[in-house]
C-alpha cells in the first residue's frame, strides 16, 4: 500500500509526457483519418469530448485509488451522461428529441456499427452515426490513459491500442481512393490514406524507438547509481550519427512503403467493409406510381382538384417536380426498382443532402404536402424532388423522423420517404438550376448503346419503320411528335360526370372516347395497331385529322415514347411529376401548376432519353385533344351492335317417325340405335360423376392441407431477410421431423435438436445437421446478417437433409406426414 501511494504521489517525468504526446498524436491521426467519412466539424467536438471523458475518469480513479473496473464504470457513466450532446446534435431540435436521444444513444452503441457502412459518405452528423467514433475514441483513450498514469512498464500496449482509431477510419471508410499526387513520373495514389499510414506508423515507430532508448538510459543510470561506476557520456558526433542513421532508415522505409501502399490503395483493389454492403432501401413492395396515374383525374372522390403539394420559391428556375423515375420495363409495367435490384437502383440515406448548408447560386423551393397527396400518388412513398438536387431539409415537429426516413438515388434523381407523409409536412429543396437542353434533333445515343428488341411490341416496330424517318435524334423527336399528333387524350373508361372535370377543361366541344388503363405490351401493342390500321386506311400522307386513331393518356403515351426511344438505341426512362410555371411544357401538354399549388389535374408523365454526353433530356409525350378521333376509327374500334328482336312463332313438331320432306313414313333402322346410345350412357355418367364428386369432397381438406404446407414453405423460403430465411428454414426442418412423428424440440437448443433427429434417422447426416443448427444460431444471434448466397446454400443443404430424414421412415409414414397437423400445434414440448 505504501509503494502504491508513493507511485501515485510521484510527479510526472519525461516518459509520461512522451506517452501522453503519443496518445494525443494518434488521436489526431485517427480524427484526420475519419474526416472523409464524416466531413463535419462536429467531429472535433466528438473526439475532444471522448478524450476529456477518458482523462477525467482515469485521473479521478488514480486520485481515489480505484481499480480499472471502477474507472471503466466511471467512464461508461460519463458516456451515458454526455454522449447525446457529444455525438447526436440532432437531439437539440426539441426537448422531446433530446430526451429521446438517450434512448437512441443506447441503441446506436450496439447497432450503428453496421448502419455506418450502409449510409453513403460523407455521413456528416446524420442521425447517430457519430456514436461509433465516440465509442472507439473513448474506449481506446481510457485504456491508453490508464496505462500512462499507472506508469506501467507495458507501454508497448499503447501502440496497438492507439492504432485502433486509425484502423476504424480505414475499415469503415470510403471505397474510393481519394485524391492522388503526381511528381514527375512518380505517382502517389490515395494521398490521404498514404499520409494517414505514414503518420500513424511513423508515430508508432518513433515512440517505440524513443521508449527503448529511454529505458536503456534509465537502466544505465540505475546501474551506475548502484555500482558507483559512471559510464562516459556520448559525444555530439555520436549522437548526430545515430540521428542521421535513424532519419536515413526512415527515408528508405518511406521510399519503399509509399509506392507499395499507393499500389495497394488503387481503386480496383481497395476493399473495405462498405464494399460488401448494398445500402438499398427495401422499396420493392410499393407499386409503380404510374399504374395509379389515373386516380389523380378522378372526380369521385374529387382528386382532380385536390391540392397534392403546395410550393413557393424559385419555381421558374427549376421547371419540373419529379415524383418518381421509372427506368425498368418488364413487359407489364414501368417500375422504379427492377426485379433484381442492384447498385444502380439503390435508394440510400444521403447525409450530404440532409446536412448541406445553403450555397450561393442555388435555387430554393419550399414544399408542403397537400390533402390530396395520398389519393393522387397511391402509396405516397415517392417524395417530389427536382433536378440538380444538392440539399433537402425537413421542417415541423417530425423533422428527425422525416430525415431518418429519407432515401435518395443519385442516378435516378428520385427520392423516397418511408416515414408516412401527412398533410402539412413541409421541406425545402436546394438545387442547381439545370441548363436548357440543346437541339433535340441533334441528339445521338451514348456510345455502345444497342437498340432494344425485348419487350417491344411488333406493331410498334412496324409503325416506326413505316414512318421512314430513319434513326438518331431527329427521327426520335419526329416519331414522338407524330405519336402525340395522332393520339387522343382520354383519362378514363367511363365518361366523367360533374362541372369541373378533365373533360370539361378540354373545352366545350371536347368529345369523350373510352380509354383503357395499363401499360403492358398488349395495351401498347393495341395502341399501335389502331395507328397502323388507320394509316393503312387513309394513307401515310393523309390530313392530320384523318390519322388520329390512338386513345390514351400519359400512362400509355409516355411508355410508348420510351419504347420508341429504346428501339432506336436511346436509353430511356419515364418520369412522373408536375410541370412548374416556367417549365418547357407546350400547349398540348397537361397544364402546369399555378398559384402555388399542384393539383391532381397537373400530374403528368414525360420521357427522358440519354444523350451521347450521358445527360438526360426530357421530352413531352402527352397526346393532343384538339383534333377529334377519326370517324373510321370510331366505327371500327367501337362498333355499334343494335339488338335485333326476333318474333317467336309457334310451330307444330312432327312425330319422331315422320319424314319432314314428305308425307310418307320413314323406315330408318339406325334411328333407334342412335337414340339409345346416349340414353344407355347417362346412368353410368351420373353414377361415375357422383363417385368422383364424393372423392373430391373427401380429398379436398387433405389437398388443402398439403397446399397450405407448400405455401408455408414458400413464404419461409422467400423471407425478405437472409437471416429470416435461415431461421425459417430451420423451422421447416423441425416441422418435417414433427410431422414424421419425431418429438418437438421443446426446450432443446437447435444443436441438441439436430443430435436428436440424426439419432432417430440413420439416413440423415449428423455433421450436416449440426452445421445447419450452428448456421441458424449464427443468423439469429450473430452480429452480421448472412448474405443471400449463404441463405440459398443453407436451404439447399436443408432440402437434402429433409429428404434424408424422411427416407428412414416407410412410405405410408411419409404419406401421412404430408397431411399431418402435428407441425401446426404448439411445439413447446415433446409429443
Amino acid at each position: 500500500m505504501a509503494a502504491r501511494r508513493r507511485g501515485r504521489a510521484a510527479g510526472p517525468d519525461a516518459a509520461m509526457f512522451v506517452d501522453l504526446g503519443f496518445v494525443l498524436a494518434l488521436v489526431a491521426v485517427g480524427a484526420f483519418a475519419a474526416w472523409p467519412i464524416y466531413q463535419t466539424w462536429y467531429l472535433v467536438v466528438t473526439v475532444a469530448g471522448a478524450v476529456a471523458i477518458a482523462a477525467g475518469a482515469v485521473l479521478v480513479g488514480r486520485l481515489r485509488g480505484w481499480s480499472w473496473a471502477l474507472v471503466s464504470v466511471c467512464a461508461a457513466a460519463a458516456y451515458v451522461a454526455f454522449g447525446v450532446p457529444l455525438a447526436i446534435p440532432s437531439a437539440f431540435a426539441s426537448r422531446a428529441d433530446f430526451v429521446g436521444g438517450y434512448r437512441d444513444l443506447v441503441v446506436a452503441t450496439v447497432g450503428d456499427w453496421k448502419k455506418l457502412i450502409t449510409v453513403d459518405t460523407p455521413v456528416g452528423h446524420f442521425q447517430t452515426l457519430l456514436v461509433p467514433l465516440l465509442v472507439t475514441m473513448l474506449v481506446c483513450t481510457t485504456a491508453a490513459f490508464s496505462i500512462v498514469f499507472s506508469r506501467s512498464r507495458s507501454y508497448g500496449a499503447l501502440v496497438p491500442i492507439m492504432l485502433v482509431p486509425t484502423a476504424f477510419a480505414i475499415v469503415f471508410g470510403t471505397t474510393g481512393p481519394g485524391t492522388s499526387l503526381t511528381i514527375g513520373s512518380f505517382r502517389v495514389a490515395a494521398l490521404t490514406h498514404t499520409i494517414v499510414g505514414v503518420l500513424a506508423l511513423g508515430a508508432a515507430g518513433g515512440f517505440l524507438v524513443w521508449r527503448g532508448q529511454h529505458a536503456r538510459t534509465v537502466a544505465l543510470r540505475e546501474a551506475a547509481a548502484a555500482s558507483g561506476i559512471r559510464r562516459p557520456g556520448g559525444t555530439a558526433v555520436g549522437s548526430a550519427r545515430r540521428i542521421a542513421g535513424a532519419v536515413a532508415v526512415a527515408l528508405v522505409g518511406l521510399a519503399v512503403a509509399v509506392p507499395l501502399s499507393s499500389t495497394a490503395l488503387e481503386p480496383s483493389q481497395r476493399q473495405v467493409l462498405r464494399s460488401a454492403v448494398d445500402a438499398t432501401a427495401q422499396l420493392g413492395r410499393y407499386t409503380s406510381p404510374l399504374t395509379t396515374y389515373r386516380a389523380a383525374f378522378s372526380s369521385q372522390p374529387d382528386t382532380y382538384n385536390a391540392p397534392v403539394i403546395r410550393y413557393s420559391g424559385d419555381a421558374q428556375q427549376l421547371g419540373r417536380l419529379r415524383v418518381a423515375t421509372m427506368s425498368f420495363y418488364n413487359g407489364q409495367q414501368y417500375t422504379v426498382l427492377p426485379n433484381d435490384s442492384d447498385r444502380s437502383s439503390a435508394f440510400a440515406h444521403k447525409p450530404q443532402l440532409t446536412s448541406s448548408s445553403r450555397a450561393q447560386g442555388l435555387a430554393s423551393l419550399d414544399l408542403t404536402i397537400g390533402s390530396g397527396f395520398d389519393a393522387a400518388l397511391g402509396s405516397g412513398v415517392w417524395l417530389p424532388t427536382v433536378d440538380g438536387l444538392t440539399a433537402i431539409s425537413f421542417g415541423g415537429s417530425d423533422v428527425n423522423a422525416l430525415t431518418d426516413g429519407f432515401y435518395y438515388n443519385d442516378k435516378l434523381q428520385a427520392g423516397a420517404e418511408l416515414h408516412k407523409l401527412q398533410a402539412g409536412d413541409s421541406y425545402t429543396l436546394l438545387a442547381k438550376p439545370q441548363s436548357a437542353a440543346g437541339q433535340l434533333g441533334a441528339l445521338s445515343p451514348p456510345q455502345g448503346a444497342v437498340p432494344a428488341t425485348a419487350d417491344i411490341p411488333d406493331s410498334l416496330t412496324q409503325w416506326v419503320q413505316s414512318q421512314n424517318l430513319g434513326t438518331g435524334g431527329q427521327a426520335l423527336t419526329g416519331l414522338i411528335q407524330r405519336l402525340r399528333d395522332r393520339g387522343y387524350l382520354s383519362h378514363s373508361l367511363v365518361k366523367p360526370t360533374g362541372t369541373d372535370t378533365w373533360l370539361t377543361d378540354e373545352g366545350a366541344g371536347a368529345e369523350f372516347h373510352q380509354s383503357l388503363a395499363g401499360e403492358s405490351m398488349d395495351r401498347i401493342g393495341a395502341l399501335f395497331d389502331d395507328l397502323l390500321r388507320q394509316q393503312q386506311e387513309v394513307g401515310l400522307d393523309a390530313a392530320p385529322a384523318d390519322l388520329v386513331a390512338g386513345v390514351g393518356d400519359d400512362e400509355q403515351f409516355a411508355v410508348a415514347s420510351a419504347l420508341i426511344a429504346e428501339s432506336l438505341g436511346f436509353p430511356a426512362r419515364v418520369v412522373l411529376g408536375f410541370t412548374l410555371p416556367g417549365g418547357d411544357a407546350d400547349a398540348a401538354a397537361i397544364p402546369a401548376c399555378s398559384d402555388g399549388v399542384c393539383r391532381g389535374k397537373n400530374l403528368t408523365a414525360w420521357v427522358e432519353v440519354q444523350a451521347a454526353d450521358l445527360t438526360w433530356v426530357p421530352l413531352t409525350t402527352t397526346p393532343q385533344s384538339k383534333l377529334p378521333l377519326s370517324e373510321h376509327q370510331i366505327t371500327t374500334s367501337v362498333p355499334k351492335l343494335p339488338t335485333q328482336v326476333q318474333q317467336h312463332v309457334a310451330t307444330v313438331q312432327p312425330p319422331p317417325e315422320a319424314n319432314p320432306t314428305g308425307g310418307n313414313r320413314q323406315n330408318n333402322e339406325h334411328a333407334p340405335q342412335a337414340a339409345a346410345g346416349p340414353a344407355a350412357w347417362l346412368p353410368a355418367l351420373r353414377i361415375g360423376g357422383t363417385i368422383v364428386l364424393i372423392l373430391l369432397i373427401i380429398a379436398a381438406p387433405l389437398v388443402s392441407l398439403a397446399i397450405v404446407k407448400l405455401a408455408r414453405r414458400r413464404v419461409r423460403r422467400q423471407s425478405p431477410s437472409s437471416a429470416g430465411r435461415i431461421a425459417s428454414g430451420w423451422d421447416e426442418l423441425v416441422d418435417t421431423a414433427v410431422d414424421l412423428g419425431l418429438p418437438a424440440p421443446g426446450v432443446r437448443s437447435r444443436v441438441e435438436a439436430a443430435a436428436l433427429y440424426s439419432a432417430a434417422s440413420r439416413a440423415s447426416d449428423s455433421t450436416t445437421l449440426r452445421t445447419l443448427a450452428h448456421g441458424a444460431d449464427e443468423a439469429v444471434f450473430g452480429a452480421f446478417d448472412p448474405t443471400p448466397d449463404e441463405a440459398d446454400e443453407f436451404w439447399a443443404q436443408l432440402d437434402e437433409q429433409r429428404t434424408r430424414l424422411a427416407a428412414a421412415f416407410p412410405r405410408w409414414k411419409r404419406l401421412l406426414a404430408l397431411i399431418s397437423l402435428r407441425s401446426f400445434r404448439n411445439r413447446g414440448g415433446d409429443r
Side-chain angles (χ1 to χ4, degrees):
M1 181 64 72
R4 185 176 177 182
R5 289 196 187 98
R6 286 195 300 268
R8 188 169 61 243
D13 57 8
M16 179 180 289
F17 284 117
V18 171
D19 292 347
L20 289 175
F22 170 72
V23 171
L24 295 178
L26 282 194
V27 165
V29 173
F32 174 72
W35 175 260
I37 303 176
Y38 294 96
Q39 293 188 20
T40 174
W41 289 109
Y42 212 89
L43 177 146
V44 178
V45 176
T46 302
V47 173
V51 174
I53 291 175
V58 172
L59 285 175
V60 171
R62 294 302 299 169
L63 291 174
R64 294 184 174 272
W66 290 347
S67 65
W68 66 268
L70 286 177
V71 172
S72 300
V73 171
C74 179
Y79 165 75
V80 173
F82 300 103
V84 171
L86 289 177
I88 312 178
S90 60
F92 291 103
S94 66
R95 183 178 302 175
D97 288 328
F98 191 83
V99 174
Y102 287 96
R103 177 202 59 215
D104 297 337
L105 178 68
V106 175
V107 174
T109 303
V110 178
D112 270 25
W113 303 87
K114 180 179 179 181
K115 186 177 180 181
L116 183 59
I117 59 176
T118 64
V119 178
D120 286 0
T121 56
V123 301
H125 49 72
F126 182 70
Q127 295 182 359
T128 56
L129 294 183
L130 279 167
V131 171
L133 178 64
L134 177 63
V135 172
T136 302
M137 288 292 186
L138 179 59
V139 171
C140 292
T141 52
T142 301
F145 286 152
S146 296
I147 295 174
V148 171
F149 290 121
S150 66
R151 298 191 174 188
S152 171
R153 292 191 175 183
S154 59
Y155 58 86
L158 291 176
V159 174
I161 290 174
M162 290 314 302
L163 285 178
V164 170
T166 303
F168 164 85
I170 294 174
V171 172
F172 288 87
T174 59
T175 56
T179 59
S180 60
L181 176 65
T182 302
I183 304 175
S185 60
F186 181 72
R187 179 174 178 270
V188 179
L191 182 61
T192 302
H193 300 96
T194 302
I195 292 174
V196 168
V198 170
L199 290 177
L201 296 179
F207 169 74
L208 292 176
V209 169
W210 187 91
R211 255 303 196 163
Q213 182 65 29
H214 176 72
R216 180 174 179 271
T217 302
V218 172
L220 291 174
R221 187 182 302 119
E222 291 177 351
S227 63
I229 302 175
R230 303 189 62 84
R231 180 177 179 270
T235 63
V237 175
S239 299
R241 187 184 299 115
R242 287 193 298 270
I243 294 174
V247 172
V249 171
L251 291 176
V252 171
L254 288 176
V256 174
V258 170
L260 290 177
S261 63
S262 298
T263 303
L265 294 174
E266 284 291 343
S268 59
Q269 300 178 15
R270 175 165 163 74
Q271 295 291 322
V272 295
L273 288 179
R274 193 177 301 275
S275 307
V277 177
D278 186 357
T280 305
Q282 300 302 317
L283 299 171
R285 64 181 181 273
Y286 294 100
T287 60
S288 171
L290 194 61
T291 60
T292 59
Y293 173 71
R294 293 192 174 187
F297 295 85
S298 173
S299 57
Q300 295 179 353
D302 187 13
T303 56
Y304 182 72
N305 294 292
V308 176
I309 195 164
R310 303 180 186 275
Y311 65 91
S312 62
D314 302 323
Q316 295 282 343
Q317 301 181 42
L318 296 174
R320 297 177 188 259
L321 272 180
R322 311 169 64 91
V323 175
T325 304
M326 291 147 284
S327 300
F328 309 97
Y329 187 65
N330 56 20
Q332 295 297 321
Q333 61 185 9
Y334 256 98
T335 60
V336 178
L337 296 173
N339 294 333
D340 51 345
S341 185
D342 56 11
R343 292 293 297 179
S344 67
S345 61
F347 280 76
H349 283 303
K350 298 289 180 179
Q352 62 271 30
L353 292 180
T354 55
S355 60
S356 299
S357 58
R358 187 181 298 268
Q360 190 174 6
L362 297 179
S364 174
L365 192 67
D366 297 321
L367 301 174
T368 303
I369 302 300
S371 58
F373 187 82
D374 283 346
L377 300 180
S379 64
V381 71
W382 310 110
L383 188 71
T385 56
V386 293
D387 292 334
L389 182 67
T390 61
I392 180 172
S393 59
F394 295 90
S397 58
D398 289 340
V399 57
N400 284 334
L402 291 171
T403 303
D404 293 349
F406 175 68
Y407 290 79
Y408 192 75
N409 183 290
D410 292 313
K411 184 175 181 180
L412 300 179
Q413 292 189 333
E417 178 55 62
L418 297 186
H419 180 73
K420 179 63 176 177
L421 288 165
Q422 305 289 341
D425 287 339
S426 62
Y427 58 101
T428 300
L429 303 176
L430 295 180
K432 183 177 181 180
Q434 303 296 293
S435 58
Q439 294 295 325
L440 296 179
L443 291 177
S444 59
Q447 186 177 4
V450 179
T453 56
D455 299 327
I456 303 292
D458 293 337
S459 57
L460 183 152
T461 303
Q462 296 173 15
W463 184 82
V464 169
Q465 293 174 350
S466 68
Q467 306 309 304
N468 299 320
L469 293 181
T471 59
Q474 188 171 0
L476 174 63
T477 54
L479 288 168
I480 292 179
Q481 189 58 49
R482 286 191 182 184
L483 178 64
R484 298 181 61 199
D485 292 342
R486 298 175 187 182
Y488 188 81
L489 182 63
S490 176
H491 291 292
S492 61
L493 191 62
V494 180
K495 184 176 182 179
T497 58
T499 58
D500 190 5
T501 65
W502 62 267
L503 186 61
T504 57
D505 283 351
E506 293 298 326
E511 299 179 357
F512 170 75
H513 295 286
Q514 292 180 342
S515 169
L516 294 173
E519 60 209 63
S520 65
M521 285 183 62
D522 291 340
R523 176 66 178 93
I524 303 302
L527 174 66
F528 284 96
D529 284 337
D530 292 341
L531 294 174
L532 283 171
R533 185 166 47 247
Q534 183 65 16
Q535 180 178 297
Q536 293 169 358
E537 179 72 22
V538 302
L540 183 61
D541 298 328
D546 295 332
L547 290 169
V548 178
V551 184
D553 58 9
D554 279 0
E555 180 186 5
Q556 291 79 45
F557 280 79
V559 172
S561 300
L563 296 181
I564 290 174
E566 294 278 0
S567 70
L568 297 180
F570 287 90
R573 61 192 189 188
V574 177
V575 183
L576 184 71
F578 300 92
T579 304
L580 297 173
D584 55 358
D586 54 31
I590 299 294
C593 304
S594 60
D595 299 328
V597 181
C598 292
R599 305 181 185 275
K601 62 182 177 183
N602 305 125
L603 187 64
T604 184
W606 63 89
V607 166
E608 291 181 346
V609 296
Q610 194 174 40
D613 60 356
L614 302 184
T615 59
W616 290 91
V617 181
L619 297 171
T620 303
T621 59
T622 306
Q624 61 85 35
S625 58
K626 302 304 179 185
L627 298 177
L629 200 66
S630 65
E631 292 296 329
H632 175 76
Q633 182 65 23
I634 296 174
T635 57
T636 55
S637 54
V638 189
K640 295 180 180 179
L641 301 175
T643 302
Q644 296 181 357
V645 180
Q646 297 181 347
Q647 294 181 356
H648 295 277
V649 180
T651 58
V652 178
Q653 298 293 332
E657 297 181 356
N659 185 354
T661 60
N664 297 329
R665 301 178 69 88
Q666 181 183 13
N667 186 13
N668 191 345
E669 297 179 358
H670 299 286
Q673 287 82 356
W681 281 101
L682 278 176
L685 289 175
R686 290 193 186 99
I687 295 173
T690 303
I691 294 174
V692 170
L693 180 60
I694 293 173
L695 292 176
L696 288 177
I697 293 174
I698 295 174
L702 306 180
V703 174
S704 300
L705 183 58
I707 293 174
V708 169
K709 288 188 176 183
L710 288 174
R712 180 180 65 182
R713 185 180 310 149
R714 180 183 178 86
V715 170
R716 288 172 171 174
R717 194 160 196 159
Q718 295 179 351
S719 180
S721 67
S722 299
R725 290 174 60 193
I726 292 177
S728 300
W730 179 260
D731 291 339
E732 186 67 25
L733 175 67
V734 171
D735 287 343
T736 300
V738 170
D739 285 335
L740 287 169
L742 296 177
V747 296
R748 300 180 183 92
S749 67
R750 290 187 176 92
V751 176
E752 293 171 341
L756 174 67
Y757 297 149
S758 63
S761 174
R762 297 179 181 177
S764 61
D765 186 348
S766 60
T767 303
T768 303
L769 281 176
R770 189 164 54 252
T771 302
L772 291 175
H774 283 299
D777 287 340
E778 181 66 23
V780 174
F781 303 109
F784 299 97
D785 287 341
T787 64
D789 292 340
E790 292 174 344
D792 293 339
E793 178 63 22
F794 185 90
W795 269 90
Q797 296 182 11
L798 181 78
D799 290 339
E800 179 184 355
Q801 292 306 310
R802 289 178 58 250
T803 302
R804 298 181 68 170
L805 183 67
F809 295 86
R811 186 183 299 274
W812 66 269
K813 190 78 170 180
R814 296 199 297 268
L815 292 176
L816 289 178
L818 292 177
I819 56 175
S820 173
L821 291 171
R822 288 168 56 87
S823 61
F824 290 97
R825 298 201 298 268
N826 182 17
R827 299 185 307 182
D830 295 346
R831 294 190 296 269

